Amino acid sequence: MLAGLPAVPRYRGRFAPSPTGPLHFGSLVAAVGSYLDARTQGGEWLLRMEDVDTPRNVPGAAEQILATLEAFGFAWDGPVLWQSQRAAAYGEVLDALRRAGQAYPCACSRKEIADSATRPAVDGGLAYPGTCRAGLPPGRAERAWRLRVAAGETAFVDRLQGRLAQLLEHDVGDFVLRRADGLFAYQLAVVVDDAAQGITDIVRGADLLASTPRQIWLQQCLGYLTPRYAHLPVAANAAGEKLSKQTLAPALAAGEAAAELVRALRFLGQPVPAELGRGRPADVWAWAGAHWQFAAIPRQRSISLPA
Ligand code: GLU
Protein backbone atom coordinates (compact mmCIF):
# COMPACT_ATOMS: atom_id res chain seq x y z
CA MET A 1 0.00 0.00 0.00
CA LEU A 2 1.18 3.56 -0.63
CA ALA A 3 2.35 5.26 2.53
CA GLY A 4 0.13 8.04 3.86
CA LEU A 5 -3.10 6.97 2.19
CA PRO A 6 -5.91 5.87 4.46
CA ALA A 7 -6.88 2.22 4.08
CA VAL A 8 -10.03 2.00 2.01
CA PRO A 9 -12.13 -0.92 3.20
CA ARG A 10 -12.47 -3.52 0.49
CA TYR A 11 -15.86 -4.58 1.68
CA ARG A 12 -18.02 -3.20 4.45
CA GLY A 13 -21.60 -4.39 4.63
CA ARG A 14 -24.43 -3.73 7.04
CA PHE A 15 -27.80 -4.85 8.31
CA ALA A 16 -30.20 -2.09 9.24
CA PRO A 17 -33.43 -3.30 10.85
CA SER A 18 -36.18 -0.97 12.04
CA PRO A 19 -37.37 -1.81 15.56
CA THR A 20 -41.05 -1.83 14.68
CA GLY A 21 -41.42 -5.40 15.92
CA PRO A 22 -39.43 -8.61 16.40
CA LEU A 23 -37.36 -10.08 13.57
CA HIS A 24 -39.40 -12.25 11.23
CA PHE A 25 -38.39 -14.58 8.44
CA GLY A 26 -38.22 -11.74 5.86
CA SER A 27 -35.75 -9.74 7.92
CA LEU A 28 -33.73 -12.88 8.67
CA VAL A 29 -33.28 -13.42 4.91
CA ALA A 30 -31.83 -9.90 4.57
CA ALA A 31 -29.56 -10.45 7.58
CA VAL A 32 -28.30 -13.81 6.30
CA GLY A 33 -27.75 -12.53 2.74
CA SER A 34 -25.84 -9.41 3.79
CA TYR A 35 -23.84 -11.31 6.44
CA LEU A 36 -22.67 -14.12 4.16
CA ASP A 37 -21.93 -11.81 1.25
CA ALA A 38 -19.70 -9.79 3.60
CA ARG A 39 -18.03 -12.61 5.49
CA THR A 40 -17.29 -14.82 2.49
CA GLN A 41 -15.44 -11.86 0.95
CA GLY A 42 -13.49 -11.18 4.13
CA GLY A 43 -15.60 -8.08 4.69
CA GLU A 44 -16.85 -6.31 7.77
CA TRP A 45 -20.52 -6.39 8.75
CA LEU A 46 -22.00 -3.52 10.73
CA LEU A 47 -25.30 -3.24 12.49
CA ARG A 48 -27.51 -0.16 12.52
CA MET A 49 -30.77 0.25 14.36
CA GLU A 50 -33.02 2.33 12.10
CA ASP A 51 -35.12 3.84 14.86
CA VAL A 52 -35.33 7.31 13.27
CA ASP A 53 -39.12 7.07 12.87
CA THR A 54 -39.63 7.19 16.62
CA PRO A 55 -43.48 6.98 16.65
CA ARG A 56 -43.20 3.60 14.91
CA ASN A 57 -40.66 2.14 17.34
CA VAL A 58 -42.06 -0.59 19.52
CA PRO A 59 -40.64 -0.49 23.08
CA GLY A 60 -38.24 -3.39 23.63
CA ALA A 61 -38.15 -4.39 19.94
CA ALA A 62 -34.58 -3.17 19.36
CA GLU A 63 -33.24 -5.14 22.32
CA GLN A 64 -35.21 -8.17 21.18
CA ILE A 65 -33.74 -7.90 17.65
CA LEU A 66 -30.20 -7.73 19.04
CA ALA A 67 -30.85 -10.74 21.31
CA THR A 68 -32.29 -12.74 18.39
CA LEU A 69 -29.32 -11.91 16.15
CA GLU A 70 -26.98 -13.05 18.90
CA ALA A 71 -28.94 -16.26 19.55
CA PHE A 72 -28.78 -16.98 15.81
CA GLY A 73 -24.99 -16.65 15.87
CA PHE A 74 -24.51 -13.35 13.99
CA ALA A 75 -21.41 -11.40 15.07
CA TRP A 76 -21.20 -7.75 14.04
CA ASP A 77 -18.21 -5.44 13.89
CA GLY A 78 -18.03 -2.41 16.15
CA PRO A 79 -20.81 -0.80 18.16
CA VAL A 80 -24.42 -0.67 16.94
CA LEU A 81 -25.29 2.69 15.37
CA TRP A 82 -28.63 4.06 16.63
CA GLN A 83 -30.33 6.49 14.25
CA SER A 84 -32.28 8.06 17.11
CA GLN A 85 -28.92 9.49 18.32
CA ARG A 86 -27.95 10.96 14.97
CA ALA A 87 -30.23 14.01 14.68
CA ALA A 88 -27.25 16.41 14.82
CA ALA A 89 -25.53 14.70 11.89
CA TYR A 90 -28.73 14.67 9.83
CA GLY A 91 -29.36 18.32 10.67
CA GLU A 92 -25.90 19.33 9.44
CA VAL A 93 -26.44 17.56 6.14
CA LEU A 94 -29.86 19.16 5.69
CA ASP A 95 -28.31 22.57 6.41
CA ALA A 96 -25.65 21.99 3.77
CA LEU A 97 -28.28 21.02 1.19
CA ARG A 98 -30.34 24.03 2.17
CA ARG A 99 -27.35 26.38 1.76
CA ALA A 100 -26.62 24.85 -1.63
CA GLY A 101 -30.22 25.52 -2.69
CA GLN A 102 -30.85 21.80 -3.15
CA ALA A 103 -33.32 21.47 -0.28
CA TYR A 104 -36.34 23.73 0.07
CA PRO A 105 -39.23 24.18 2.52
CA CYS A 106 -42.65 22.89 1.60
CA ALA A 107 -46.00 24.02 2.98
CA CYS A 108 -48.18 21.33 1.42
CA SER A 109 -50.38 19.14 3.57
CA ARG A 110 -51.09 15.54 2.60
CA LYS A 111 -54.54 16.60 1.44
CA GLU A 112 -53.18 19.39 -0.75
CA ILE A 113 -50.77 16.97 -2.38
CA ALA A 114 -53.55 14.43 -2.89
CA ASP A 115 -55.67 17.16 -4.51
CA SER A 116 -52.93 18.53 -6.77
CA ALA A 117 -50.85 15.45 -7.67
CA THR A 118 -51.34 14.20 -11.19
CA ARG A 119 -49.60 10.83 -11.08
CA PRO A 120 -48.68 7.98 -8.74
CA ALA A 121 -45.13 7.61 -7.44
CA VAL A 122 -43.10 4.43 -7.93
CA ASP A 123 -43.62 3.34 -4.34
CA GLY A 124 -47.38 3.62 -4.25
CA GLY A 125 -47.71 7.22 -2.97
CA LEU A 126 -48.13 10.27 -5.17
CA ALA A 127 -45.40 12.02 -7.12
CA TYR A 128 -44.91 15.45 -5.56
CA PRO A 129 -46.09 17.99 -8.15
CA GLY A 130 -43.48 20.60 -7.19
CA THR A 131 -45.91 23.14 -5.72
CA CYS A 132 -43.36 24.78 -3.39
CA ARG A 133 -40.32 24.32 -5.63
CA ALA A 134 -40.10 27.99 -6.56
CA GLY A 135 -40.72 29.22 -3.01
CA LEU A 136 -43.38 28.99 -0.31
CA PRO A 137 -46.71 30.42 -1.50
CA PRO A 138 -47.43 33.75 0.24
CA GLY A 139 -48.76 33.42 3.77
CA ARG A 140 -47.86 29.74 4.03
CA ALA A 141 -45.58 28.27 6.70
CA GLU A 142 -42.94 25.63 6.13
CA ARG A 143 -43.91 22.10 7.14
CA ALA A 144 -41.46 19.69 5.55
CA TRP A 145 -38.12 20.02 3.75
CA ARG A 146 -37.74 18.48 0.32
CA LEU A 147 -34.85 17.68 -1.99
CA ARG A 148 -34.89 18.97 -5.55
CA VAL A 149 -34.46 15.93 -7.81
CA ALA A 150 -32.75 15.46 -11.16
CA ALA A 151 -34.72 16.04 -14.33
CA GLY A 152 -32.87 13.25 -16.12
CA GLU A 153 -32.48 9.57 -15.46
CA THR A 154 -30.98 8.16 -12.25
CA ALA A 155 -29.86 4.60 -12.87
CA PHE A 156 -27.78 1.84 -11.34
CA VAL A 157 -26.97 -1.79 -11.98
CA ASP A 158 -28.03 -4.08 -9.16
CA ARG A 159 -25.94 -7.22 -8.65
CA LEU A 160 -29.10 -9.35 -8.65
CA GLN A 161 -31.91 -7.38 -10.24
CA GLY A 162 -29.99 -5.85 -13.14
CA ARG A 163 -30.33 -2.27 -14.33
CA LEU A 164 -32.92 -0.02 -12.76
CA ALA A 165 -33.57 3.51 -13.97
CA GLN A 166 -35.98 6.13 -12.72
CA LEU A 167 -36.88 9.58 -13.91
CA LEU A 168 -37.02 10.94 -10.40
CA GLU A 169 -38.83 14.13 -11.27
CA HIS A 170 -41.59 12.17 -12.96
CA ASP A 171 -41.57 8.95 -10.92
CA VAL A 172 -41.17 10.38 -7.41
CA GLY A 173 -40.95 14.17 -7.42
CA ASP A 174 -38.94 16.23 -4.95
CA PHE A 175 -38.90 14.02 -1.87
CA VAL A 176 -39.02 14.69 1.85
CA LEU A 177 -35.81 14.95 3.90
CA ARG A 178 -37.40 16.30 7.05
CA ARG A 179 -41.01 15.59 7.76
CA ALA A 180 -43.72 17.97 8.96
CA ASP A 181 -43.43 16.40 12.45
CA GLY A 182 -39.75 17.44 12.54
CA LEU A 183 -38.35 13.92 12.18
CA PHE A 184 -35.72 13.19 9.56
CA ALA A 185 -36.85 10.94 6.76
CA TYR A 186 -35.50 7.42 6.24
CA GLN A 187 -34.05 8.42 2.84
CA LEU A 188 -31.82 11.07 4.42
CA ALA A 189 -30.86 9.00 7.47
CA VAL A 190 -29.93 5.92 5.49
CA VAL A 191 -27.72 7.82 3.04
CA VAL A 192 -25.93 9.81 5.73
CA ASP A 193 -25.34 6.69 7.83
CA ASP A 194 -24.22 4.46 4.97
CA ALA A 195 -21.59 7.11 4.18
CA ALA A 196 -20.65 7.73 7.84
CA GLN A 197 -20.13 3.99 8.36
CA GLY A 198 -18.13 3.68 5.15
CA ILE A 199 -20.50 1.07 3.71
CA THR A 200 -19.27 -0.28 0.36
CA ASP A 201 -21.93 -2.94 -0.19
CA ILE A 202 -25.62 -2.95 0.53
CA VAL A 203 -27.48 -6.25 0.46
CA ARG A 204 -31.14 -5.85 1.45
CA GLY A 205 -34.67 -6.75 0.41
CA ALA A 206 -36.05 -5.85 -3.01
CA ASP A 207 -38.81 -3.86 -1.29
CA LEU A 208 -36.15 -1.11 -1.14
CA LEU A 209 -35.28 -1.28 -4.84
CA ALA A 210 -37.59 1.62 -5.72
CA SER A 211 -35.96 3.80 -3.02
CA THR A 212 -32.46 3.26 -4.36
CA PRO A 213 -32.45 5.89 -7.14
CA ARG A 214 -33.52 8.47 -4.53
CA GLN A 215 -30.65 7.39 -2.31
CA ILE A 216 -28.19 7.52 -5.20
CA TRP A 217 -29.36 11.00 -6.16
CA LEU A 218 -28.88 12.16 -2.57
CA GLN A 219 -25.39 10.60 -2.52
CA GLN A 220 -24.59 12.53 -5.69
CA CYS A 221 -25.88 15.81 -4.21
CA LEU A 222 -23.66 15.27 -1.17
CA GLY A 223 -20.56 14.12 -3.06
CA TYR A 224 -20.70 10.66 -1.45
CA LEU A 225 -19.59 7.46 -3.15
CA THR A 226 -22.39 5.16 -4.25
CA PRO A 227 -22.09 1.67 -2.75
CA ARG A 228 -22.73 -1.53 -4.71
CA TYR A 229 -26.28 -2.80 -4.29
CA ALA A 230 -27.78 -6.28 -4.29
CA HIS A 231 -31.52 -6.53 -3.69
CA LEU A 232 -32.61 -9.95 -2.47
CA PRO A 233 -36.00 -11.43 -3.26
CA VAL A 234 -38.44 -10.61 -0.48
CA ALA A 235 -40.41 -13.32 1.24
CA ALA A 236 -44.10 -13.02 0.57
CA ASN A 237 -47.02 -14.93 2.01
CA ALA A 238 -49.22 -17.17 -0.11
CA ALA A 239 -51.30 -14.10 -1.05
CA GLY A 240 -48.15 -12.42 -2.46
CA GLU A 241 -47.89 -9.83 0.35
CA LYS A 242 -44.44 -9.07 1.77
CA LEU A 243 -43.94 -10.61 5.23
CA SER A 244 -44.07 -7.77 7.72
CA LYS A 245 -45.66 -6.76 10.95
CA GLN A 246 -48.68 -5.59 8.93
CA THR A 247 -49.18 -9.03 7.39
CA LEU A 248 -48.70 -10.56 10.86
CA ALA A 249 -45.47 -12.41 10.06
CA PRO A 250 -44.62 -14.57 13.07
CA ALA A 251 -41.55 -13.67 15.17
CA LEU A 252 -38.56 -15.98 14.84
CA ALA A 253 -38.25 -18.46 17.69
CA ALA A 254 -34.79 -18.38 19.29
CA GLY A 255 -35.05 -22.11 20.01
CA GLU A 256 -35.45 -22.76 16.27
CA ALA A 257 -32.36 -20.83 15.19
CA ALA A 258 -30.69 -23.59 13.16
CA ALA A 259 -33.95 -24.55 11.44
CA GLU A 260 -34.78 -20.92 10.59
CA LEU A 261 -31.26 -20.33 9.23
CA VAL A 262 -31.63 -23.39 7.02
CA ARG A 263 -34.97 -22.06 5.74
CA ALA A 264 -33.41 -18.65 5.01
CA LEU A 265 -30.49 -20.25 3.16
CA ARG A 266 -32.82 -22.41 1.07
CA PHE A 267 -34.92 -19.34 0.29
CA LEU A 268 -31.68 -17.78 -1.03
CA GLY A 269 -31.10 -20.78 -3.31
CA GLN A 270 -28.42 -22.46 -1.18
CA PRO A 271 -28.68 -26.28 -1.11
CA VAL A 272 -28.03 -26.69 2.62
CA PRO A 273 -28.62 -30.23 3.95
CA ALA A 274 -31.91 -30.35 5.87
CA GLU A 275 -30.40 -32.25 8.81
CA LEU A 276 -28.32 -29.20 9.75
CA GLY A 277 -31.60 -27.60 10.81
CA ARG A 278 -31.77 -30.06 13.69
CA GLY A 279 -28.30 -29.10 14.93
CA ARG A 280 -26.69 -25.94 16.21
CA PRO A 281 -26.53 -22.56 14.42
CA ALA A 282 -22.71 -22.86 14.42
CA ASP A 283 -22.93 -25.93 12.17
CA VAL A 284 -25.22 -24.10 9.73
CA TRP A 285 -22.78 -21.18 9.64
CA ALA A 286 -19.85 -23.54 9.07
CA TRP A 287 -21.66 -25.06 6.08
CA ALA A 288 -22.67 -21.63 4.77
CA GLY A 289 -19.16 -20.19 5.13
CA ALA A 290 -17.79 -23.03 3.00
CA HIS A 291 -20.60 -23.31 0.42
CA TRP A 292 -22.25 -19.89 0.03
CA GLN A 293 -22.85 -19.10 -3.66
CA PHE A 294 -24.06 -15.60 -4.39
CA ALA A 295 -24.79 -16.71 -7.96
CA ALA A 296 -27.39 -19.20 -6.68
CA ILE A 297 -29.64 -16.47 -5.25
CA PRO A 298 -32.86 -16.28 -7.30
CA ARG A 299 -32.93 -13.09 -9.36
CA GLN A 300 -36.49 -12.34 -8.39
CA ARG A 301 -38.05 -9.47 -6.51
CA SER A 302 -40.36 -11.64 -4.49
CA ILE A 303 -40.91 -15.31 -3.69
CA SER A 304 -44.10 -16.60 -2.10
CA LEU A 305 -43.75 -19.04 0.74
CA PRO A 306 -46.11 -21.98 0.80
CA ALA A 307 -49.13 -21.37 3.06
N1 GLU B 1 -34.65 -0.08 8.03
C1 GLU B 1 -35.07 -0.62 6.76
C2 GLU B 1 -36.05 -1.73 6.96
O1 GLU B 1 -36.05 -2.36 8.02
C3 GLU B 1 -33.92 -1.16 5.96
C4 GLU B 1 -33.23 -0.10 5.26
C5 GLU B 1 -32.05 -0.52 4.43
O2 GLU B 1 -31.56 -1.66 4.53
O3 GLU B 1 -31.61 0.34 3.68
O4 GLU B 1 -36.82 -2.01 6.06
Side-chain angles (χ1 to χ4, degrees), residues 14-20 27 48-50 83 186 190 194 202-205 207-208 215 242:
R14 49 68 155 188
F15 177 54
S18 301
T20 54
S27 30
R48 176 160 78 232
M49 202 51 75
E50 298 213 318
Q83 287 192 327
Y186 156 70
V190 77
D194 283 335
I202 294 178
V203 180
R204 61 184 179 185
D207 50 319
L208 292 157
Q215 295 172 17
K242 181 197 156 195

Side-chain angles (χ1 to χ4, degrees), residues 9-290:
R10 209 163 43 81
Y11 188 117
R12 191 177 281 164
R14 49 68 155 188
F15 177 54
S18 301
T20 54
L23 280 190
H24 54 75
F25 181 70
S27 30
L28 179 66
V29 166
V32 166
S34 61
Y35 189 66
L36 286 170
D37 194 51
R39 293 305 195 211
T40 56
Q41 296 184 61
E44 294 171 278
W45 191 72
L46 280 59
L47 194 57
R48 176 160 78 232
M49 202 51 75
E50 298 213 318
D51 56 352
V52 68
D53 190 354
T54 43
R56 288 189 64 214
N57 294 339
V58 169
E63 292 69 24
Q64 193 181 354
I65 289 173
L66 297 178
T68 304
L69 289 172
E70 243 172 59
F72 276 59
F74 290 92
W76 52 91
D77 292 303
V80 178
L81 187 71
W82 296 76
Q83 287 192 327
S84 53
Q85 295 172 9
R86 301 265 303 145
Y90 306 148
E92 277 172 31
V93 169
L94 179 60
D95 279 343
L97 291 167
R98 193 188 294 206
R99 281 194 303 271
Q102 286 168 304
Y104 65 85
C106 172
C108 298
S109 66
R110 263 177 214 277
K111 174 158 190 331
E112 285 166 326
I113 295 173
D115 290 346
S116 59
T118 55
R119 50 182 188 272
V122 278
D123 56 4
L126 291 165
Y128 181 64
T131 319
C132 297
R133 213 175 204 213
L136 285 176
R140 298 294 308 272
E142 92 182 36
R143 290 167 53 88
W145 279 80
R146 290 183 182 272
L147 182 69
R148 235 174 259 287
V149 294
E153 188 175 85
T154 301
F156 73 104
V157 179
D158 190 86
R159 291 170 60 203
L160 287 167
Q161 310 290 341
R163 183 174 190 274
L164 181 85
Q166 282 177 4
L167 291 167
L168 283 174
E169 195 175 331
H170 181 273
D171 296 339
V172 179
D174 296 340
F175 59 89
V176 171
L177 299 176
R178 206 182 76 194
R179 311 183 333 191
D181 61 8
L183 292 173
F184 291 100
Y186 156 70
Q187 305 292 355
L188 177 72
V190 77
V191 165
V192 172
D193 289 344
D194 283 335
Q197 293 189 291
I199 301 301
T200 61
D201 284 84
I202 294 178
V203 180
R204 61 184 179 185
D207 50 319
L208 292 157
L209 201 50
S211 286
T212 307
R214 261 170 284 179
Q215 295 172 17
I216 290 174
W217 171 244
L218 191 44
Q219 289 154 5
Q220 290 172 355
C221 291
L222 292 165
Y224 295 167
L225 295 175
T226 289
R228 284 180 292 262
Y229 288 95
H231 284 87
L232 303 169
V234 294
N237 62 20
E241 300 159 328
K242 181 197 156 195
L243 296 190
S244 68
K245 209 175 98 187
Q246 287 74 31
T247 57
L248 305 177
L252 296 168
E256 298 286 311
E260 295 282 14
L261 288 171
V262 163
R263 265 179 85 211
L265 283 164
R266 294 219 158 177
F267 182 87
L268 291 171
Q270 313 296 311
V272 52
E275 64 268 20
L276 287 182
R278 294 188 286 276
R280 299 170 310 146
D283 300 323
V284 183
W285 288 122
W287 183 91

